[in-house]
Amino acid sequence: MNNKFRFLPIATFLGFAFLYVPIIVLVVFSFNKSKLVTVWGGFSAHWYGELLQDPQILGAAWISLQIAFISASLALVLGTLAAFVLTRIGRFWFKPLLSGMTAAPLVMPEVITGLSLLLLFVAMEAMFGWPAGRGFTTIVIAHTTFCLAYVAVVVQSRLSDMDESIEEAARDLGAKPVRVFFDITLPTIAPALMSGWLLSFTLSLDDLVIASFVSGPGASTLPMVIFSKVRLGVSPEINALASLMIGVVALGVAIAAWQLLKSPQKSKA
Amino acid sequence: MSAQTQLAADEKPWRRAGEKPFIRINRLTKKFGEFVAVDDVSLDVYQSELFCLLGGSGSGKSTLLRMLAGFETPTSGTIEIDGQDMANIPSHDRPTNMMFQSYALFPHMSVEQNIAYGLKRDGVASSEVSDRVADMLSLVQMSDFGKRKPDQLSGGQRQRVALARSLIKRPKLLLLDEPLGALDKKLREETQFELIKIQESLGITFIVVTHDQEEAMTLATRIGVMNYGEIVQVGEPPEIYEYPTSRFVADFIGSVNMFEGRVKEDDKDYVRIASDEAGTDIHVGHGVSCAPDQKLWFAIRPEKLELRRKRPDGDFNILKGMVEDVAYMGNLSVFRIKLDSGKIVKATQSNRVRRDDEAISWDEEVYLTWDETAGVVLQS
Amino acid sequence: MTEAVVNSKPFQWTAKFLAKFGLSGRGLVIAVPTLWLLVFFLIPFIVVLKISFAEAMIARPPYSKLIEPTDSGFAINFSFLSYQYLVEDGLYLAAYGSSLRIAFFSTLFALLIGYPMAYFIARSSGQWRNILLMLVIMPFWTSFLLRVYAWIGILKGNGYINNLLLSLGIINEPLVMMQTDFAVYVGIVYTYLPFMILPLYANLVKLDGSLLEASSDLGAKPIMTFLTITLPLSLPGILAGCMLVFIPVVGEFVIPALLGGPDTNMIGRVLWDEFFRNRDWPTASAVAIIMLLVLVLPIMLLQKAQDGQNQDKSGI
């Protein structure tokens, strides 16, 4: 018994060390003065300055942020609709198909999704002349499609956990279906919508493979630029970029945690 | 206790022939795939009744209620409320309101907002809304809690808010799904009488779904007992208890001893039943329409049995057995007596004195007897 | 505010406009996501299937037409050339084999590392559990590409590990770790560990503690309790976690591309090279179709595991 009690915390500690040591090393060495990334040459914020003056990275970041914002928002609407249809609307003949199509993008290897969408866009262009060429729009469509699945999963689980009699009560008191959705359903699933949107935003911002397939000249996203740089070896600039992105996420998580810790105390009072 | 019982018998609308029912359920059936949840139910409920649908889980009582509210569409049959056919009327347009088992209070709205919700949907002017909300809050004694959120209320308080919210639109029919199910025993008993008081003061017709027979007995003007999607008996509480028409009802409501037997003598004024299970002839002091040698059952409640040490006179309605167990319940004691046939019979005696040294106890040989009108004969 | 939205003129107009075309709210709500997924998820696979039967050629787009108009109508040119390549050229089969092998072992490693962590988190109390869970989820939110990148600096010839070991005098020559299968395993396990831990945690946290007490009360030692109670009950979680790791790893591209060597031959990378380097679209499509077929069984297993998990939930 004692044995097990020592084994578990040690195993867990080592597991977390495995998850976090690389990130910590990355952040520490982003403040390295030396150009040799792996040899400590003193503290400096020099590479952050370099990063903020690199037009290629800044341009790609701006494109990625726009794509992520639009894709996440579209995916939020479409994913919520899909989740709503799957949990709240009774049987119709292609419901199993819709359910399968909603879940499948989650596990589909990215190379397949990327390839298949590219081939579709090429075929569509040949047939209808749209989308003319590939770039911003096609990346948005591709990202919306796979982010939609994540939103649908998150929202679906919230909707099926939700007590349906609350919606019935609203109908019973005279609210029409659209009203019920806006008055009752939406406020109840708001946290799930928020996390669905954020998840989509980060997934889109992070995607390399699908974007590489469906993008065209002139639309290089941040991961594409990072990938081409990283293939040539480690660069102190990328360390700085990674640390900035990790910093933003850590801040976001800290705020979310603070909100979570705050809210139960409020309701107790 | 309640006003209904003070009414003269002939004022009860369901006893008067030709009285127009307020709610008319006609041959209603609901199937879920192959499963028949509600099976060809016909039922009339009258204005200002407090009607209880009583049954176990899966008996179809909740489905019937949900069809009245408009949450389920009947497979066949019709529902009429106050002369109006409810087919094709969605739940948000029906003159009914429902109090949910889970209460279904909107968690993101305050008590006042919850109660006001229905009126706002009808476009009632906001000054009138706040007046009526205040009235409702005082009716359910929750005036001090209007600004609270549901998660800041106790179970009993939530129940009151749910009731207020479902009453504020003055529905023609209020549907209550296990309204007291989530309350503890003490609170439930107090709330039962409050619910009756509110129902009488507003005159709204209530249909209550419950699995708790005591609750049904206390609340109801009439009870409809449901089993496997069918209504097996409808009647006033004493009628259901004293005159069950089937073994299911006799067994479901209260505790009963049941003896299988065959008709031995059949006369205009009495019936004699031979029962091997009882080990005695059973004499019933009224006529029963039955065939000679027909198989039937005799049901008798434990409190109608008399317990004796000496064999009573006569050659019928006498059971002989051994006391196997005595359970002291406070107000009464329950005896489990094993007959020679092996059948266990339950009999209760009220404990009138505080300490009875002469009390019948374990392993004593005893006799049980009863009045010739104390039991019922059941044919199904 | 919602009142304003629902009652607003544009909202009402839109509703009326749609109603004219026989589209009720309900129909529209169903149609929009279904159409989107049909066009951008299902049809693309049909296109991939179609092109896998075409032949590569130097053109725009770089493949032959399946149906071509001729003088006497239409000619159908079904070509199995791409599939023939896959079978005949040992490279493709070897790539499928090594992808499956790498996916299998990294799934196993992730399970061995992730299970104790999930168990510990599920058994820890209140505040601690939330903090640990957050630590598991956090990597989800940080860039996957950059986390893989971090390992290059750690593993490479003059990276952190070699520098440390050299300076401590433990080794004289730098260890070769980058561009090996070892680096690929490390990268995969590192990246996919949270996918393993979360379903395991979701399963283990539902495990009723009184079952373990009952088992112990009936005389089982902790290890027996684990083997006879905990492990069997957590099987759906194990299956879900393993499939969530296994399926995407089979098609993984970034990790072998960044951490693997020239001989790390994974199918995702082969597809990528076929497409971007050789511009052989039909072969890339055939590679994708075969990969999908290989993944059908794991995907069905995942579906089953998730149904099992959901039933647990509704059973309570």
Side-chain angles (χ1 to χ4, degrees), chain C residues 186-257:
Chain C
V186 169
I188 291 176
V189 173
Y190 172 71
T191 312
Y192 286 93
L193 191 56
F195 289 88
M196 179 64 82
I197 297 177
L198 289 178
L200 279 175
Y201 164 79
N203 176 289
L204 288 169
V205 79
K206 283 184 299 185
L207 184 72
D208 184 355
S210 62
L211 293 181
L212 306 185
E213 286 169 5
S215 164
S216 165
D217 182 60
L218 295 167
K221 290 203 176 75
I223 183 72
M224 277 312 285
T225 299
F226 176 77
L227 289 176
T228 56
I229 311 291
T230 313
L231 197 59
L233 285 174
S234 62
L235 275 180
I238 293 177
L239 193 61
C242 285
M243 290 306 117
L244 279 179
V245 175
F246 185 86
I247 295 166
V249 170
V250 169
E252 183 57 50
F253 163 73
V254 173
I255 297 170

Side-chain angles (χ1 to χ4, degrees), chain B residues 325-337:
Chain B
D325 197 9
V326 185
Y328 176 74
M329 314 279 285
N331 54 345
L332 43 79
S333 293
V334 180
F335 293 80
R336 281 166 57 89
I337 294 142

Side-chain angles (χ1 to χ4, degrees), chain A residues 267-269, chain B residues 105-107 109-116 133-162 164 194:
Chain A
S267 67
K268 260 181 226 157
Chain B
L105 297 179
F106 308 133
M109 297 183 193
S110 68
V111 166
E112 281 174 353
Q113 288 169 322
N114 262 284
I115 296 175
V133 168
D135 287 351
M136 267 301 152
L137 282 171
S138 76
L139 179 74
V140 297
Q141 298 159 31
M142 286 288 291
S143 298
D144 296 340
F145 299 92
K147 299 279 183 259
R148 294 235 186 140
K149 288 277 179 72
D151 63 357
Q152 296 166 320
L153 301 176
S154 72
Q157 291 170 332
R158 271 183 238 174
Q159 193 260 1
R160 288 154 187 273
V161 176
E194 235 169 275

Side-chain angles (χ1 to χ4, degrees), chain A residues 49-121:
Chain A
E50 289 282 291
L51 176 74
L52 294 177
Q53 281 159 23
D54 186 330
Q56 195 195 5
I57 287 189
L58 290 184
W62 176 233
I63 290 178
S64 277
L65 286 171
Q66 291 176 68
I67 290 176
F69 185 85
I70 300 172
S71 314
S73 308
L74 281 173
L76 181 70
V77 174
L78 290 165
T80 306
L81 282 179
F84 187 81
V85 169
L86 291 174
T87 48
R88 289 292 187 274
I89 292 190
R91 284 176 206 176
F92 49 96
W93 63 269
F94 54 91
K95 195 172 183 179
L97 175 76
L98 181 62
S99 158
M101 287 197 303
T102 313
L106 291 177
V107 291
M108 198 52 64
E110 290 169 319
V111 281
I112 298 185
T113 313
L115 176 72
S116 65
L117 274 166
L118 170 73
L119 296 182
L120 174 86
F121 290 139

